[in-house]
Amino acid sequence: MASVTKKYLLAVVSIAIGASYQFFNFNIVNTSQTVVVSWINETYAARDGGRAMDAMTLTYLWSAVSSACLFGSIFGSLLTQPIAERLGRRYGLVLTSLTAIFGGCLCLLAKNVASPELLICARFILGLNVGACCGLAPLYLTEISPVKYRGAAGTAHMLAIALGDLSSMVLGLPQLLGTPSLWSFAFAWPIVPALIFLICLPFVPESPRYLLFAKNDLPRCRQSLEKLVHKDLVEQEVAALIKEASRAHHQRSQSDQPVRSIDLFRHRWLR
């Protein structure tokens, strides 16, 4: 690891932690289903003078709660490209972290105000975070990592996601947070890794590739690389990025056709 800096390692670890709750939001509903369904039933019974909800309606509501995150992730994934290009990789991840915090707070509020509808909205917002983060996190890690460390950075990211998935199965158990009084804290758990990432943000540099390719800002690109790799390798990395940018610009100028997904397999310069 002599060729990379401590700030690079911090960036990898903080992004891995910050993105670790992606599948947590999908699986937490499995272990908490019984208590949440009971809460929904009791909430609507209290609204309707004590009359219990019929099984079909209750099933529909639970389906909405559990699937809201999936629908949100679809829309969130569509936002990855505009967020990455307009805000940059780092601040795009900041936005997703703030979204996770907001969605988690709404989960807590939903139980306090006895509103399953608010819980559905909260889960949808968390899904937006999941969809956007699934694209932004690996994109950022790939762009800040020297070639020899990209595999390790990707592995760290996936390991964190797996641990986040495991934590959803553990935290939702009745012995921990899967109880009638604590289940909302289990749903709001993504607040914790999101806050950790936000605390690390001031020490995490922007993607040098983004600064050069999207902003055409060579000085800031060099400054970012100085924070990521050893000083003896900075000029080498800068030269490689400039060469890549020139080749990409040349290839784009040769064709009036927009880039298609299939072109990723046909043209090496796109990969």
Side-chain angles (χ1 to χ4, degrees), residues 257-270:
Q257 299 296 324
V259 176
R260 299 168 299 175
S261 298
I262 191 65
D263 292 333
L264 292 172
F265 302 95
R266 293 176 176 173
H267 305 299
R268 188 179 182 86
W269 65 274
L270 288 173

mmCIF file with all atom_site columns, all heavy atoms in Angstrom, residues 257-270:
data_model
loop_
_atom_site.group_PDB
_atom_site.id
_atom_site.type_symbol
_atom_site.label_atom_id
_atom_site.label_alt_id
_atom_site.label_comp_id
_atom_site.label_asym_id
_atom_site.label_entity_id
_atom_site.label_seq_id
_atom_site.pdbx_PDB_ins_code
_atom_site.Cartn_x
_atom_site.Cartn_y
_atom_site.Cartn_z
_atom_site.occupancy
_atom_site.B_iso_or_equiv
_atom_site.pdbx_formal_charge
_atom_site.auth_seq_id
_atom_site.auth_comp_id
_atom_site.auth_asym_id
_atom_site.auth_atom_id
_atom_site.pdbx_PDB_model_num
ATOM 1   N N   . GLN A 1 257 ? -22.766 9.565  -33.638 1.00 0.00 ? 257 GLN A N   1
ATOM 2   C CA  . GLN A 1 257 ? -23.771 8.746  -32.992 1.00 0.00 ? 257 GLN A CA  1
ATOM 3   C C   . GLN A 1 257 ? -23.590 8.781  -31.472 1.00 0.00 ? 257 GLN A C   1
ATOM 4   O O   . GLN A 1 257 ? -22.465 8.785  -30.977 1.00 0.00 ? 257 GLN A O   1
ATOM 5   C CB  . GLN A 1 257 ? -23.674 7.289  -33.480 1.00 0.00 ? 257 GLN A CB  1
ATOM 6   C CG  . GLN A 1 257 ? -23.894 7.126  -34.973 1.00 0.00 ? 257 GLN A CG  1
ATOM 7   C CD  . GLN A 1 257 ? -25.297 7.526  -35.384 1.00 0.00 ? 257 GLN A CD  1
ATOM 8   O OE1 . GLN A 1 257 ? -26.256 7.301  -34.643 1.00 0.00 ? 257 GLN A OE1 1
ATOM 9   N NE2 . GLN A 1 257 ? -25.418 8.135  -36.559 1.00 0.00 ? 257 GLN A NE2 1
ATOM 10  N N   . PRO A 1 258 ? -24.677 8.798  -30.713 1.00 0.00 ? 258 PRO A N   1
ATOM 11  C CA  . PRO A 1 258 ? -24.560 8.743  -29.250 1.00 0.00 ? 258 PRO A CA  1
ATOM 12  C C   . PRO A 1 258 ? -24.029 7.390  -28.796 1.00 0.00 ? 258 PRO A C   1
ATOM 13  O O   . PRO A 1 258 ? -24.188 6.378  -29.482 1.00 0.00 ? 258 PRO A O   1
ATOM 14  C CB  . PRO A 1 258 ? -26.009 8.958  -28.780 1.00 0.00 ? 258 PRO A CB  1
ATOM 15  C CG  . PRO A 1 258 ? -26.855 8.504  -29.927 1.00 0.00 ? 258 PRO A CG  1
ATOM 16  C CD  . PRO A 1 258 ? -26.075 8.862  -31.165 1.00 0.00 ? 258 PRO A CD  1
ATOM 17  N N   . VAL A 1 259 ? -23.389 7.390  -27.645 1.00 0.00 ? 259 VAL A N   1
ATOM 18  C CA  . VAL A 1 259 ? -22.847 6.147  -27.097 1.00 0.00 ? 259 VAL A CA  1
ATOM 19  C C   . VAL A 1 259 ? -23.990 5.258  -26.621 1.00 0.00 ? 259 VAL A C   1
ATOM 20  O O   . VAL A 1 259 ? -24.892 5.704  -25.918 1.00 0.00 ? 259 VAL A O   1
ATOM 21  C CB  . VAL A 1 259 ? -21.891 6.449  -25.925 1.00 0.00 ? 259 VAL A CB  1
ATOM 22  C CG1 . VAL A 1 259 ? -21.403 5.148  -25.298 1.00 0.00 ? 259 VAL A CG1 1
ATOM 23  C CG2 . VAL A 1 259 ? -20.712 7.280  -26.409 1.00 0.00 ? 259 VAL A CG2 1
ATOM 24  N N   . ARG A 1 260 ? -23.947 3.987  -27.024 1.00 0.00 ? 260 ARG A N   1
ATOM 25  C CA  . ARG A 1 260 ? -24.958 3.023  -26.620 1.00 0.00 ? 260 ARG A CA  1
ATOM 26  C C   . ARG A 1 260 ? -24.343 2.003  -25.669 1.00 0.00 ? 260 ARG A C   1
ATOM 27  O O   . ARG A 1 260 ? -23.129 1.872  -25.585 1.00 0.00 ? 260 ARG A O   1
ATOM 28  C CB  . ARG A 1 260 ? -25.534 2.306  -27.843 1.00 0.00 ? 260 ARG A CB  1
ATOM 29  C CG  . ARG A 1 260 ? -26.216 3.238  -28.844 1.00 0.00 ? 260 ARG A CG  1
ATOM 30  C CD  . ARG A 1 260 ? -26.492 2.501  -30.144 1.00 0.00 ? 260 ARG A CD  1
ATOM 31  N NE  . ARG A 1 260 ? -25.235 2.041  -30.760 1.00 0.00 ? 260 ARG A NE  1
ATOM 32  C CZ  . ARG A 1 260 ? -25.191 1.287  -31.858 1.00 0.00 ? 260 ARG A CZ  1
ATOM 33  N NH1 . ARG A 1 260 ? -26.313 0.908  -32.448 1.00 0.00 ? 260 ARG A NH1 1
ATOM 34  N NH2 . ARG A 1 260 ? -24.029 0.909  -32.352 1.00 0.00 ? 260 ARG A NH2 1
ATOM 35  N N   . SER A 1 261 ? -25.208 1.271  -24.986 1.00 0.00 ? 261 SER A N   1
ATOM 36  C CA  . SER A 1 261 ? -24.721 0.285  -24.018 1.00 0.00 ? 261 SER A CA  1
ATOM 37  C C   . SER A 1 261 ? -23.842 -0.760 -24.688 1.00 0.00 ? 261 SER A C   1
ATOM 38  O O   . SER A 1 261 ? -22.822 -1.186 -24.134 1.00 0.00 ? 261 SER A O   1
ATOM 39  C CB  . SER A 1 261 ? -25.910 -0.394 -23.322 1.00 0.00 ? 261 SER A CB  1
ATOM 40  O OG  . SER A 1 261 ? -26.678 0.542  -22.612 1.00 0.00 ? 261 SER A OG  1
ATOM 41  N N   . ILE A 1 262 ? -24.208 -1.179 -25.902 1.00 0.00 ? 262 ILE A N   1
ATOM 42  C CA  . ILE A 1 262 ? -23.444 -2.207 -26.598 1.00 0.00 ? 262 ILE A CA  1
ATOM 43  C C   . ILE A 1 262 ? -22.037 -1.730 -26.936 1.00 0.00 ? 262 ILE A C   1
ATOM 44  O O   . ILE A 1 262 ? -21.105 -2.535 -27.082 1.00 0.00 ? 262 ILE A O   1
ATOM 45  C CB  . ILE A 1 262 ? -24.193 -2.645 -27.889 1.00 0.00 ? 262 ILE A CB  1
ATOM 46  C CG1 . ILE A 1 262 ? -23.549 -3.896 -28.487 1.00 0.00 ? 262 ILE A CG1 1
ATOM 47  C CG2 . ILE A 1 262 ? -24.232 -1.506 -28.888 1.00 0.00 ? 262 ILE A CG2 1
ATOM 48  C CD1 . ILE A 1 262 ? -23.651 -5.109 -27.616 1.00 0.00 ? 262 ILE A CD1 1
ATOM 49  N N   . ASP A 1 263 ? -21.861 -0.395 -27.021 1.00 0.00 ? 263 ASP A N   1
ATOM 50  C CA  . ASP A 1 263 ? -20.538 0.145  -27.350 1.00 0.00 ? 263 ASP A CA  1
ATOM 51  C C   . ASP A 1 263 ? -19.523 -0.106 -26.241 1.00 0.00 ? 263 ASP A C   1
ATOM 52  O O   . ASP A 1 263 ? -18.316 -0.076 -26.492 1.00 0.00 ? 263 ASP A O   1
ATOM 53  C CB  . ASP A 1 263 ? -20.638 1.651  -27.619 1.00 0.00 ? 263 ASP A CB  1
ATOM 54  C CG  . ASP A 1 263 ? -21.414 1.951  -28.898 1.00 0.00 ? 263 ASP A CG  1
ATOM 55  O OD1 . ASP A 1 263 ? -21.409 1.086  -29.792 1.00 0.00 ? 263 ASP A OD1 1
ATOM 56  O OD2 . ASP A 1 263 ? -22.018 3.036  -28.988 1.00 0.00 ? 263 ASP A OD2 1
ATOM 57  N N   . LEU A 1 264 ? -20.001 -0.352 -25.023 1.00 0.00 ? 264 LEU A N   1
ATOM 58  C CA  . LEU A 1 264 ? -19.083 -0.671 -23.931 1.00 0.00 ? 264 LEU A CA  1
ATOM 59  C C   . LEU A 1 264 ? -18.307 -1.951 -24.217 1.00 0.00 ? 264 LEU A C   1
ATOM 60  O O   . LEU A 1 264 ? -17.173 -2.122 -23.770 1.00 0.00 ? 264 LEU A O   1
ATOM 61  C CB  . LEU A 1 264 ? -19.857 -0.815 -22.616 1.00 0.00 ? 264 LEU A CB  1
ATOM 62  C CG  . LEU A 1 264 ? -20.487 0.466  -22.050 1.00 0.00 ? 264 LEU A CG  1
ATOM 63  C CD1 . LEU A 1 264 ? -21.382 0.121  -20.869 1.00 0.00 ? 264 LEU A CD1 1
ATOM 64  C CD2 . LEU A 1 264 ? -19.409 1.445  -21.626 1.00 0.00 ? 264 LEU A CD2 1
ATOM 65  N N   . PHE A 1 265 ? -18.920 -2.861 -24.970 1.00 0.00 ? 265 PHE A N   1
ATOM 66  C CA  . PHE A 1 265 ? -18.267 -4.121 -25.299 1.00 0.00 ? 265 PHE A CA  1
ATOM 67  C C   . PHE A 1 265 ? -17.450 -4.020 -26.586 1.00 0.00 ? 265 PHE A C   1
ATOM 68  O O   . PHE A 1 265 ? -16.539 -4.805 -26.809 1.00 0.00 ? 265 PHE A O   1
ATOM 69  C CB  . PHE A 1 265 ? -19.319 -5.227 -25.450 1.00 0.00 ? 265 PHE A CB  1
ATOM 70  C CG  . PHE A 1 265 ? -20.155 -5.437 -24.225 1.00 0.00 ? 265 PHE A CG  1
ATOM 71  C CD1 . PHE A 1 265 ? -21.391 -4.818 -24.093 1.00 0.00 ? 265 PHE A CD1 1
ATOM 72  C CD2 . PHE A 1 265 ? -19.703 -6.242 -23.191 1.00 0.00 ? 265 PHE A CD2 1
ATOM 73  C CE1 . PHE A 1 265 ? -22.168 -5.004 -22.958 1.00 0.00 ? 265 PHE A CE1 1
ATOM 74  C CE2 . PHE A 1 265 ? -20.467 -6.434 -22.054 1.00 0.00 ? 265 PHE A CE2 1
ATOM 75  C CZ  . PHE A 1 265 ? -21.697 -5.815 -21.939 1.00 0.00 ? 265 PHE A CZ  1
ATOM 76  N N   . ARG A 1 266 ? -17.758 -3.011 -27.398 1.00 0.00 ? 266 ARG A N   1
ATOM 77  C CA  . ARG A 1 266 ? -17.078 -2.882 -28.683 1.00 0.00 ? 266 ARG A CA  1
ATOM 78  C C   . ARG A 1 266 ? -15.837 -1.997 -28.614 1.00 0.00 ? 266 ARG A C   1
ATOM 79  O O   . ARG A 1 266 ? -14.876 -2.211 -29.349 1.00 0.00 ? 266 ARG A O   1
ATOM 80  C CB  . ARG A 1 266 ? -18.047 -2.301 -29.717 1.00 0.00 ? 266 ARG A CB  1
ATOM 81  C CG  . ARG A 1 266 ? -19.210 -3.223 -30.068 1.00 0.00 ? 266 ARG A CG  1
ATOM 82  C CD  . ARG A 1 266 ? -20.163 -2.528 -31.021 1.00 0.00 ? 266 ARG A CD  1
ATOM 83  N NE  . ARG A 1 266 ? -21.246 -3.415 -31.462 1.00 0.00 ? 266 ARG A NE  1
ATOM 84  C CZ  . ARG A 1 266 ? -22.276 -3.020 -32.192 1.00 0.00 ? 266 ARG A CZ  1
ATOM 85  N NH1 . ARG A 1 266 ? -22.375 -1.744 -32.561 1.00 0.00 ? 266 ARG A NH1 1
ATOM 86  N NH2 . ARG A 1 266 ? -23.207 -3.882 -32.547 1.00 0.00 ? 266 ARG A NH2 1
ATOM 87  N N   . HIS A 1 267 ? -15.874 -0.977 -27.748 1.00 0.00 ? 267 HIS A N   1
ATOM 88  C CA  . HIS A 1 267 ? -14.799 0.015  -27.729 1.00 0.00 ? 267 HIS A CA  1
ATOM 89  C C   . HIS A 1 267 ? -14.103 0.023  -26.371 1.00 0.00 ? 267 HIS A C   1
ATOM 90  O O   . HIS A 1 267 ? -14.730 0.293  -25.345 1.00 0.00 ? 267 HIS A O   1
ATOM 91  C CB  . HIS A 1 267 ? -15.355 1.410  -28.030 1.00 0.00 ? 267 HIS A CB  1
ATOM 92  C CG  . HIS A 1 267 ? -16.126 1.481  -29.316 1.00 0.00 ? 267 HIS A CG  1
ATOM 93  N ND1 . HIS A 1 267 ? -15.562 1.208  -30.540 1.00 0.00 ? 267 HIS A ND1 1
ATOM 94  C CD2 . HIS A 1 267 ? -17.431 1.777  -29.550 1.00 0.00 ? 267 HIS A CD2 1
ATOM 95  C CE1 . HIS A 1 267 ? -16.480 1.351  -31.488 1.00 0.00 ? 267 HIS A CE1 1
ATOM 96  N NE2 . HIS A 1 267 ? -17.619 1.688  -30.913 1.00 0.00 ? 267 HIS A NE2 1
ATOM 97  N N   . ARG A 1 268 ? -12.834 -0.234 -26.392 1.00 0.00 ? 268 ARG A N   1
ATOM 98  C CA  . ARG A 1 268 ? -12.055 -0.307 -25.154 1.00 0.00 ? 268 ARG A CA  1
ATOM 99  C C   . ARG A 1 268 ? -11.976 1.042  -24.445 1.00 0.00 ? 268 ARG A C   1
ATOM 100 O O   . ARG A 1 268 ? -11.930 1.114  -23.216 1.00 0.00 ? 268 ARG A O   1
ATOM 101 C CB  . ARG A 1 268 ? -10.641 -0.814 -25.481 1.00 0.00 ? 268 ARG A CB  1
ATOM 102 C CG  . ARG A 1 268 ? -9.805  -1.103 -24.247 1.00 0.00 ? 268 ARG A CG  1
ATOM 103 C CD  . ARG A 1 268 ? -8.435  -1.624 -24.641 1.00 0.00 ? 268 ARG A CD  1
ATOM 104 N NE  . ARG A 1 268 ? -7.650  -1.949 -23.467 1.00 0.00 ? 268 ARG A NE  1
ATOM 105 C CZ  . ARG A 1 268 ? -7.690  -3.102 -22.829 1.00 0.00 ? 268 ARG A CZ  1
ATOM 106 N NH1 . ARG A 1 268 ? -8.490  -4.059 -23.268 1.00 0.00 ? 268 ARG A NH1 1
ATOM 107 N NH2 . ARG A 1 268 ? -6.953  -3.323 -21.765 1.00 0.00 ? 268 ARG A NH2 1
ATOM 108 N N   . TRP A 1 269 ? -11.994 2.147  -25.208 1.00 0.00 ? 269 TRP A N   1
ATOM 109 C CA  . TRP A 1 269 ? -11.819 3.466  -24.597 1.00 0.00 ? 269 TRP A CA  1
ATOM 110 C C   . TRP A 1 269 ? -12.994 3.860  -23.712 1.00 0.00 ? 269 TRP A C   1
ATOM 111 O O   . TRP A 1 269 ? -12.873 4.762  -22.877 1.00 0.00 ? 269 TRP A O   1
ATOM 112 C CB  . TRP A 1 269 ? -11.604 4.525  -25.685 1.00 0.00 ? 269 TRP A CB  1
ATOM 113 C CG  . TRP A 1 269 ? -12.781 4.740  -26.590 1.00 0.00 ? 269 TRP A CG  1
ATOM 114 C CD1 . TRP A 1 269 ? -13.078 4.039  -27.718 1.00 0.00 ? 269 TRP A CD1 1
ATOM 115 C CD2 . TRP A 1 269 ? -13.811 5.718  -26.448 1.00 0.00 ? 269 TRP A CD2 1
ATOM 116 N NE1 . TRP A 1 269 ? -14.231 4.509  -28.293 1.00 0.00 ? 269 TRP A NE1 1
ATOM 117 C CE2 . TRP A 1 269 ? -14.702 5.552  -27.532 1.00 0.00 ? 269 TRP A CE2 1
ATOM 118 C CE3 . TRP A 1 269 ? -14.078 6.722  -25.517 1.00 0.00 ? 269 TRP A CE3 1
ATOM 119 C CZ2 . TRP A 1 269 ? -15.828 6.341  -27.708 1.00 0.00 ? 269 TRP A CZ2 1
ATOM 120 C CZ3 . TRP A 1 269 ? -15.201 7.518  -25.693 1.00 0.00 ? 269 TRP A CZ3 1
ATOM 121 C CH2 . TRP A 1 269 ? -16.050 7.322  -26.772 1.00 0.00 ? 269 TRP A CH2 1
ATOM 122 N N   . LEU A 1 270 ? -14.136 3.182  -23.873 1.00 0.00 ? 270 LEU A N   1
ATOM 123 C CA  . LEU A 1 270 ? -15.294 3.478  -23.038 1.00 0.00 ? 270 LEU A CA  1
ATOM 124 C C   . LEU A 1 270 ? -15.234 2.765  -21.690 1.00 0.00 ? 270 LEU A C   1
ATOM 125 O O   . LEU A 1 270 ? -15.984 3.110  -20.779 1.00 0.00 ? 270 LEU A O   1
ATOM 126 C CB  . LEU A 1 270 ? -16.585 3.063  -23.760 1.00 0.00 ? 270 LEU A CB  1
ATOM 127 C CG  . LEU A 1 270 ? -17.011 3.933  -24.943 1.00 0.00 ? 270 LEU A CG  1
ATOM 128 C CD1 . LEU A 1 270 ? -18.193 3.305  -25.657 1.00 0.00 ? 270 LEU A CD1 1
ATOM 129 C CD2 . LEU A 1 270 ? -17.351 5.339  -24.474 1.00 0.00 ? 270 LEU A CD2 1
#
